[in-house]
Amino acid sequence: MATPPSDPLAQPLTLPCGVVLRNRLGKAAMTEGLGDAALRATPEHARLYAAWGDGGVGLNITGNVMVDRHVIERPGNVAIDVRHPPCVDAPARDRLRAWAQAGTAGGAQLWMQLSHAGRQSPRYATRQPVGPSAVKLDLLGNYKTPRALGDAEIVDIVRRFGAAARIAQECGFTGVQVHAAHGYLISSFLSPLTNRRDDRWGGGIGNRARLLLDCVRSVRAQVGADFAVSVKLNSDDFRRGGFSHADCLQVVERLNDEGVDLLEISGGTYEQPRLLGVEGRSADAVAVRASTRVREAYFLAYAEAIRAVATMPLMVTGGFRSRAGMEAALASGALDVIGVARPLCTHPDCVRQLLERRIDRLPAYEQRLHLAAQGWRSPASPWLALKMVNVLGAQGWYYQQIERLARGRPAQPDRGVLRSFVRYWWDELTRAMRLRR
């Protein structure tokens, strides 16, 4: 079935660098957990991204590739750490090329998301997390107090973002995304809650945004003007005293001058993981706008304000499920690209089905991935343990669907959330024990 020529979802988009997205639907980054014990790409990456690339999206953004092999988001990450030859030698690059070739074969753009986990590297995956300041992530006892980075270390991290982007380009990826959202290192520099420095990297928003801007400049200097460079940025951390929406608007104004080709809008951190549909994990949580609650897309209301100051194209990720919601968002002018993630974990071709008008809604398994108990959603609920089973069980459920796709197996949507929770911890801890430090 052919896609109607007037379908707004099917319209191409030319980015400032000249790269053309074949349609307005992009797969947002999702951590894959498929790397080997040396943090290198595997054949499973190639198989997974071939499926997603053939599934109709115009843009595929990888899970977060780490620029520091010692401070990772989870076991199974891929790392491009230029300080460690096995991460960047010829065999490692051959694996990256296989991944890039598979992901672009179907005509989609394949962008590598570059990241540093910072203080959000769990204790089973790192000996010592780092951050702008020694502010611990207090969540299930799973995180150590980070060591505050020195000035020279921060400068070296900037260099590593650029070097990793150059390797991605040389290996066939068609763009990169700098991850500055969700509480990871760059995001933590943006927030005054986690950045308590009084040097050139802390204080006012101009200094707190310095790491992000320097990383973007480093990347652009390495890849040239005709290669796609994106940034993922929180619209708001949703924490009192943290990175606010007003801060976000100021950062966007600064990014306007940095040659960014696509700005992806998201929100939340581990303490306030709005993307998982959870609020109130911390005492300083800020309520999400009522207008955001009732909309299909979590961050569309914030994107409308960002659009007023942004000069680059915008992508909004989180919550889009219906064709009507997507078309309305595009028609509003608030965004240029619809970000989709979790539906692709079970139905890698659902975007193609949407474009061919065989379906009008994407799968939404998240609506049933929880163990029911009265009051479990309340921040003051006595069912906190159950709440965490639900959150991590649902997260594990999607991880396990990704793994099945990567191994060429069909999705298993009837898998229960409790089973997924147990398997999640088993996988994380056993993979951590196999890591080559």
Side-chain angles (χ1 to χ4, degrees):
M1 183 182 297
T3 301
S6 60
D7 186 346
L9 302 181
Q11 299 308 304
L13 176 67
T14 301
L15 302 178
C17 66
V19 166
V20 178
L21 306 184
R22 63 182 177 182
N23 60 49
R24 301 305 181 94
L25 293 159
K27 185 203 79 68
M30 292 184 287
T31 179
E32 306 98 353
L34 300 172
D36 68 8
L39 304 180
R40 298 175 301 182
T42 63
E44 284 74 22
H45 285 97
R47 187 178 296 113
L48 177 65
Y49 279 83
W52 280 336
D54 289 339
V57 294
L59 170 62
N60 243 327
I61 304 177
T62 73
N64 42 10
V65 172
M66 298 286 110
V67 301
D68 186 339
R69 74 183 187 94
H70 296 294
V71 187
I72 59 177
E73 173 252 352
R74 62 183 290 227
N77 283 156
V78 172
I80 301 180
D81 188 336
V82 294
R83 304 166 304 172
H84 185 63
C87 286
V88 295
D89 61 13
R93 294 185 190 221
D94 287 344
R95 291 165 177 257
L96 292 174
R97 288 190 185 95
W99 183 3
Q101 289 169 1
T104 56
Q109 291 282 311
L110 180 62
W111 296 359
M112 180 185 287
Q113 186 186 75
L114 300 175
S115 183
H116 189 300
R119 69 195 281 264
Q120 292 184 170
S121 183
R123 62 173 64 246
Y124 56 81
T126 186
R127 292 191 177 97
Q128 178 61 67
V130 296
S133 305
V135 180
K136 184 180 180 181
L137 172 59
D138 187 15
L139 187 62
L140 302 178
N142 202 25
Y143 299 88
K144 300 178 182 178
T145 300
R147 178 180 58 78
L149 289 162
D151 184 89
E153 291 178 296
I154 299 170
V155 171
D156 187 59
I157 287 170
V158 171
R159 178 187 68 86
R160 278 184 269 147
F161 268 88
R166 180 65 176 268
I167 290 171
Q169 182 184 41
E170 292 173 348
C171 291
F173 290 82
T174 58
V176 294
Q177 181 179 75
V178 176
H179 194 351
H182 301 167
Y184 296 110
L185 185 70
I186 298 178
S187 175
S188 69
F189 267 81
L190 291 170
S191 171
L193 285 178
T194 47
N195 183 349
R196 301 177 184 177
R197 305 175 73 99
D198 58 5
D199 60 3
R200 63 179 177 143
W201 306 100
I205 188 60
N207 281 354
R208 285 185 277 120
R210 189 184 304 278
L211 176 59
L212 169 58
L213 298 176
D214 282 1
C215 285
V216 172
R217 291 165 187 160
S218 177
V219 166
R220 180 58 78 192
Q222 289 292 323
V223 300
D226 58 354
F227 189 74
V229 175
S230 170
V231 170
K232 185 165 190 167
L233 184 69
N234 274 0
S235 57
D236 197 311
D237 282 356
F238 305 115
R239 297 186 65 203
R240 190 172 295 105
F243 182 71
S244 66
H245 187 52
D247 287 336
C248 170
L249 296 178
Q250 292 187 58
V251 172
V252 172
E253 289 180 332
R254 287 170 167 82
L255 287 171
N256 283 338
D257 298 325
E258 302 301 333
V260 173
D261 295 297
L262 185 68
L263 177 64
E264 182 183 357
I265 302 302
S266 190
T269 66
Y270 279 22
E271 285 111 330
Q272 179 68 331
R274 185 64 186 92
L275 267 178
L276 293 177
V278 179
E279 299 174 29
R281 275 292 306 131
S282 60
D284 55 14
V286 173
V288 178
R289 294 178 185 175
S291 59
T292 297
R293 295 175 187 276
V294 300
R295 287 188 171 187
E296 178 173 286
Y298 304 148
F299 307 111
L300 191 54
Y302 297 89
E304 290 168 350
I306 293 168
R307 169 63 89 194
V309 301
T311 60
M312 73 287 284
L314 298 183
M315 171 173 163
V316 176
T317 299
F320 283 109
R321 293 295 179 267
S322 71
R323 176 195 305 280
M326 296 176 191
E327 291 181 350
L330 285 169
S332 75
L335 52 79
D336 303 281
V337 180
I338 303 288
V340 177
R342 288 179 290 183
L344 293 162
C345 295
T346 53
H347 294 70
D349 64 341
C350 63
V351 166
R352 184 176 301 282
Q353 293 186 50
L354 190 72
L355 290 170
E356 294 177 353
R357 295 187 176 269
R358 287 186 280 161
I359 60 173
D360 287 316
R361 293 191 65 87
L362 300 180
Y365 287 104
E366 64 272 10
Q367 296 176 358
R368 67 168 181 80
L369 289 177
H370 59 83
L371 301 176
Q374 186 175 5
W376 78 272
R377 291 182 182 272
S378 169
S381 171
W383 298 97
L384 179 59
L386 179 60
K387 183 173 184 176
M388 295 314 300
V389 168
N390 284 329
V391 171
L392 295 178
Q395 184 171 296
W397 189 92
Y398 283 105
Y399 288 175
Q400 290 147 36
Q401 303 300 334
I402 287 174
E403 183 179 9
R404 292 184 67 85
L405 292 181
R407 300 189 187 284
R409 301 171 184 168
Q412 193 176 48
D414 58 348
R415 176 184 289 268
V417 68
L418 184 58
R419 178 184 175 191
S420 298
F421 174 80
V422 173
R423 172 71 184 276
Y424 165 82
W425 281 112
W426 172 261
D427 287 345
E428 292 293 286
L429 296 176
T430 55
R431 287 170 179 162
M433 289 189 290
R434 293 195 295 266
L435 285 176
R436 299 177 193 168
R437 300 293 183 178

